[in-house]
Amino acid sequence: MTTISFIGLGTMGAPMALNLLRSGFDVVGYNRSPARVAEFVAAGGRGALSVAEAVTDSDVVITMLPDSPDVTSVYTGPGGVIANTRPGSLLIDMSTIRPDVARAVADTAAGRGLRFLDAPVSGGEQGAKDGSLAIMVGSSEADFAAALPVLSEVGATIVHVGRVGSGQTVKAANQLIVAGTIQLVAEALTFLRAHGVEVEKALEVIGGGLAGSAVLRSKGPSMRARDFTPGFRVSLHHKDLGIFNDAAREAGVVAPLAANVSYLVGALKAQGCGHLDHSALLLLVEQLSGIDAREVGTETTGVMNS
């Protein structure tokens, strides 16, 4: 039986680890919060008290962590993944981090005979629960083939996009499109409401045409209901847009709309909404339009600072 270490049992990582467990893999879970590990053990998995303990006997190590510094910390150092995993094992980082950090970790791993893939995901918490994530993989062809049986249990669309670091580059582009589309949906909703249009019917017909999108289908209903319970937090999307902007600048790519939406997401975070779902961009559009939330007629999950 393939033994998988899953490090990072958060909003995305926990359901992914559970899907692997249900698929018949032997899964060892580790998280900085012991409560998360206890929940995973209660669901039938095995738990570990440290990264080193989690990876010692594993064939595959998967990490799902918040940011680049977290990945660097978990992979490197005497208590990290690279120092404590058997040579020949697969290391799959499914976090969203800077492409150059992914390449640096891969180089360090290769020095100890370990195979590293960067495989960030898209699809949010629901996609993680359903096992329907889109996974963009940067690695060698051989390593991709070796990892595919594992990745297939957590994702539905799994594409090898190039060498290590390419997965993170594609994810950065994905995050730009998602943020930009959410912003446009927020502006459209505010526009429709201001003109007294029946919003649900308006979005039904819009969704059936060229303007229809996965973002509109996924976020439209919760934005109409003003439910900003986090599926993907504003603070994390702000981080991801920073990755895009840094990588674009390094490549000499001019992206003016990316700069605008990054500014807006940053403003929303600065107003104390970093914990809300990224669809809370609607709140910022309403504020800039001088619309009191009470005028909409429904309660809002989350309050903007005055």
Side-chain angles (χ1 to χ4, degrees):
M1 180 183 294
T2 299
T3 297
I4 299 174
S5 296
F6 205 108
I7 299 171
L9 301 172
T11 300
M12 295 289 289
M16 292 166 69
L18 287 173
N19 283 336
L20 291 167
L21 187 64
R22 294 177 188 127
S23 298
F25 291 106
D26 173 32
V27 185
V28 182
Y30 171 75
N31 197 79
R32 284 181 297 185
S33 167
R36 292 282 193 173
V37 179
E39 290 171 5
F40 183 66
V41 171
R46 293 198 287 135
L49 298 176
S50 67
V51 171
E53 180 185 337
V55 304
T56 299
D57 297 318
S58 293
D59 306 295
V60 179
V61 177
I62 298 177
T63 49
M64 177 58 87
L65 303 166
D67 204 349
S68 299
D70 303 291
V71 171
T72 300
S73 174
V74 164
Y75 273 93
T76 61
V81 170
I82 292 173
N84 293 282
T85 305
R86 293 194 306 255
S89 299
L90 286 173
L91 311 180
I92 308 173
D93 179 42
M94 306 189 81
S95 318
T96 298
I97 63 172
R98 288 166 34 196
D100 62 315
V101 171
R103 289 190 290 269
V105 172
D107 289 343
T108 305
R112 291 204 70 252
L114 296 162
R115 299 173 289 167
F116 180 89
L117 304 84
D118 66 302
V121 305
S122 180
E125 182 180 4
Q126 193 59 51
K129 290 178 177 178
D130 296 341
S132 60
L133 294 167
I135 308 175
M136 43 223 84
V137 184
S139 69
S140 70
E141 290 278 4
D143 291 348
F144 175 71
L148 195 55
V150 173
L151 297 177
S152 295
E153 299 301 334
V154 295
T157 303
I158 306 161
V159 181
H160 181 242
V161 295
R163 65 187 180 92
V164 171
S166 298
Q168 299 297 345
T169 303
V170 175
K171 179 61 186 290
N174 179 88
Q175 294 303 81
L176 170 63
I177 293 171
V178 171
T181 306
I182 290 175
Q183 176 63 25
L184 289 174
V185 171
E187 293 179 16
L189 278 170
T190 305
F191 170 77
L192 291 167
R193 282 175 171 153
H195 281 276
V197 173
E198 192 170 343
V199 173
E200 184 175 358
K201 291 188 178 297
L203 291 189
E204 179 183 353
V205 68
I206 290 172
L210 187 59
S213 68
V215 169
L216 185 61
R217 291 192 300 273
S218 175
K219 299 297 181 181
S222 58
M223 291 171 79
R224 290 199 307 271
R226 304 177 66 75
D227 178 6
F228 305 116
T229 303
F232 190 72
R233 297 193 305 275
V234 168
S235 58
L236 288 175
H237 214 142
H238 182 251
K239 178 264 295 184
D240 292 352
L241 291 170
I243 292 172
F244 175 88
N245 288 321
D246 288 345
R249 184 166 50 249
E250 290 171 5
V253 173
V254 177
L257 293 182
N260 284 338
V261 75
S262 297
Y263 173 84
L264 293 168
V265 172
L268 184 62
K269 178 176 179 286
Q271 296 197 48
C273 293
H275 64 292
L276 298 180
D277 188 75
H278 47 182
S279 59
L281 277 166
L282 176 65
L283 297 176
L284 188 63
V285 174
E286 290 176 346
Q287 183 192 62
L288 293 172
S289 301
I291 298 174
D292 191 314
R294 289 170 296 184
E295 296 175 20
V296 182
T298 56
E299 293 296 321
T300 298
T301 303
V303 179
M304 297 186 71
N305 292 338
S306 57

